[in-house]
Amino acid sequence: MNQPAARRGSTAWALVITSVAGFMAALDNLVVTTALPSIREDLGGALHDLEWTVSAYTLTFAVLLMFGAALGDRFGRRRLFGVGVAVFTAASAAAALAPGIDALIAARAVQGVGAAIMMPLTLTLLTAAVPAAKRGMAFGIWGAVNGLAVAAGPLIGGTLTEHISWQWIFWLNVPLGLALLPLARLRLAESYGTGARLDAVGTLLASGGLFGIVYGLIRGPIDGWTSLTVLLGLIGGAALLGGFVHHGIRGKAPMLPMRLFRDRAFSGINAASLLMFLGMFGSIFLLSQYMQGVLGYSPTEAGLRMLPWTGMPMIVAPLAGALSDRIGGRPVVAAGLALQAIGLAWFALVLSPDASYAVQLPALVVSGVGMALYFAPAANIVMSSVRPSEQGIASGANNALREVGGALGVAVMASIFAAQGGYESGQSFVDGLVPALWVGSGAVALGAVASLVIPRRRAVPAPPAKDPEKLPVAAV
């Protein structure tokens, strides 16, 4: 009689622990953006330095995600999850206490290291704790919390900065991290991957390639796309990633076997994820500035008015997760991406220097529902498209592609904005924002098309009594 209750308790605890950890890591992608003027006033620094307070986190997070997943598979996922939480929490405190801009940038980079270790392990730990029949709902809740963190970063950062101080955007992580450490040790079960040796060659190729490309994308709008450092980053990064793909095909026990992409579900959801984050990150980056710089809202007021978009995942995603359990993830993901694309196009059609909130509200609601429908089943599709022993690597690869998509979205859409408009006036801002939103809408629409390659089937988990390594990937 007690065993089912204990199982329910461990499942609930796993959902709480992994969702909170994912929230912290996802939140810090954009939470600092609305605090940059206050940080510059307190710590000084040129525009170049302020840019690095954002990009230092994104870069280390993106390039080390797959390595963090591999460490968890090798040395224990719960153990490395605790290490990642500890590093992230300590770095958050260091960022809040930073005496200067250089110290803040260094702390942000270490934050990214901690996030890269803990984030991909949240899904593998959650998968191990939740019965297969309930994973859609669990992943829906996990996705809702992570989606809310990504989208609400500017609101939370602006509110804390406006009403307390910018340091509290980092202090917020400290009590959460300290609470997670004992809970993870006591409430999560340990699990391992294949136990294979760490792939040093693959790690260096992936990290170097992603670093070069993400660095080039972030620095391109600032240094110029034809500058030597940007070209070296993009070309060198692409060459290293080409080597990584070759290594994944020919190498022995590579960290990301390229054969995983033969599975239509795995390749389709990863392409859709990259394009979704490209359109969403770039749009939120510009629309939050539009609401403050053009419409005159404070950071808090702008965040509140975006709640129909940013808060919708908390309402819709759990329901969408349950729906995906019944009809499969493909139609839910495709519908979500289509609605997100429609929402961004709607923004592009109605925005003006004096657009009323009522005119924007339908686009906010449609975008919010679309984002929620995507987040709910996407994680389940990723985790069910590979063998259980490879779920850590699959999670790391998917999260890395999301981060690269986000960096690409900010860079590309900011470049379009700068080429077509600027900050000189409200009309100039709208002139740059509208074509950027059309590009974002097009990218998400391409993601909807990519999601259609996902097979029309419901993932069927492997029976626990059988050896998962001997099962075909499509059956897991």
Side-chain angles (χ1 to χ4, degrees):
M1 294 294 293
N2 292 333
Q3 188 173 356
R7 185 183 183 93
R8 285 196 298 270
S10 62
T11 297
W13 276 113
L15 181 58
V16 170
I17 293 167
T18 57
S19 294
V20 172
F23 180 88
M24 292 194 302
L27 178 68
D28 273 57
N29 272 300
L30 293 174
V31 72
V32 75
T33 54
T34 47
L36 290 177
S38 296
I39 291 174
R40 183 177 185 181
E41 183 178 345
D42 284 356
L43 302 183
L47 181 61
H48 171 84
D49 299 312
L50 295 178
E51 174 72 13
W52 275 109
T53 64
V54 178
S55 59
Y57 180 82
T58 306
L59 283 172
T60 53
F61 194 3
V63 303
L64 295 177
L65 269 166
M66 295 177 65
F67 186 59
L71 286 174
D73 285 350
R74 173 66 175 169
F75 297 109
R77 292 160 178 164
R78 183 186 67 184
R79 179 181 302 153
L80 265 294
F81 175 78
V83 171
V85 172
V87 171
F88 185 86
T89 303
S92 297
L97 296 170
I101 194 70
D102 292 336
L104 177 60
I105 292 171
R108 288 283 287 165
V110 178
Q111 265 192 310
V113 174
I117 297 173
M118 71 177 182
M119 186 64 172
L121 299 178
T122 59
L123 277 178
T124 49
L125 290 167
L126 185 59
T127 300
V130 178
K134 302 293 185 182
R135 284 177 188 162
M137 177 69 76
F139 287 141
I141 296 172
W142 180 91
V145 174
N146 280 265
L148 178 65
V150 170
L155 166 62
I156 295 174
T159 301
L160 291 174
T161 300
E162 185 177 344
H163 297 290
I164 308 178
S165 71
W166 66 263
Q167 285 87 351
W168 276 92
I169 65 178
F170 302 115
W171 282 127
L172 177 65
N173 296 322
V174 175
L176 294 175
L178 292 177
L180 286 180
L181 287 171
L183 287 175
R185 180 68 180 86
L186 296 172
R187 298 293 182 174
L188 295 178
E190 186 60 281
S191 63
Y192 296 83
T194 60
R197 295 176 59 186
L198 292 176
D199 180 13
V201 173
T203 299
L204 291 174
L205 288 171
S207 299
L210 288 174
F211 179 87
I213 289 178
V214 174
Y215 177 87
L217 292 173
I218 291 174
R219 298 302 306 175
I222 301 169
D223 298 338
W225 293 104
T226 58
S227 67
L228 180 61
T229 54
V230 171
L231 289 176
L232 285 176
L234 294 175
I235 296 172
L240 288 174
L241 284 185
F244 176 72
V245 171
H246 182 268
H247 176 71
I249 297 172
R250 301 294 184 184
K252 293 183 177 180
M255 65 185 289
L256 179 59
M258 290 297 116
R259 61 175 173 76
L260 296 180
F261 289 94
R262 297 173 187 167
D263 184 272
R264 288 163 54 197
F266 186 80
S267 57
I269 194 60
N270 277 292
S273 295
L274 185 146
L275 292 165
M276 165 65 176
F277 271 64
L278 190 157
M280 186 185 69
F281 259 63
S283 299
I284 291 176
F285 177 77
L286 291 173
L287 284 170
S288 62
Q289 296 183 67
Y290 165 77
M291 287 193 169
Q292 295 177 58
V294 178
L295 300 183
Y297 298 128
S298 71
T300 303
E301 291 171 340
L304 288 173
R305 282 164 174 77
M306 292 185 74
L307 278 179
W309 185 359
T310 60
M312 195 62 70
M314 293 300 293
I315 301 172
V316 176
L319 302 176
L323 179 63
S324 70
D325 282 341
R326 295 177 61 87
I327 67 173
R330 168 184 161 168
V332 182
V333 166
L337 292 171
L339 287 174
Q340 179 71 86
I342 292 170
L344 295 179
W346 199 320
F347 269 121
L349 289 171
V350 303
L351 291 187
S352 67
D354 57 353
S356 69
Y357 184 63
V359 168
Q360 301 172 57
L361 187 58
L364 290 165
V365 172
V366 171
S367 295
V369 173
M371 184 169 65
L373 290 176
Y374 158 79
F375 275 119
N380 201 5
I381 294 173
V382 171
M383 302 304 279
S384 63
S385 65
V386 299
R387 297 183 175 98
S389 60
E390 295 170 328
Q391 287 175 338
I393 296 302
S395 174
N398 183 255
N399 279 282
L401 286 171
R402 290 182 180 192
E403 291 298 311
V404 172
L408 177 63
V410 171
V412 170
M413 294 176 70
S415 296
I416 295 170
F417 169 82
Q420 301 294 322
Y423 293 91
E424 293 81 11
S425 65
Q427 186 60 54
S428 177
F429 194 100
V430 171
D431 289 342
L433 174 59
V434 168
L437 288 174
W438 280 117
V439 171
S441 175
V444 180
L446 286 176
V449 174
S451 71
L452 295 179
V453 307
I454 299 170
R456 286 180 175 271
R457 59 174 168 80
R458 179 180 174 181
V460 180
K466 297 182 179 181
D467 182 4
E469 290 296 321
K470 297 180 181 179
L471 293 174
V473 172
V476 179

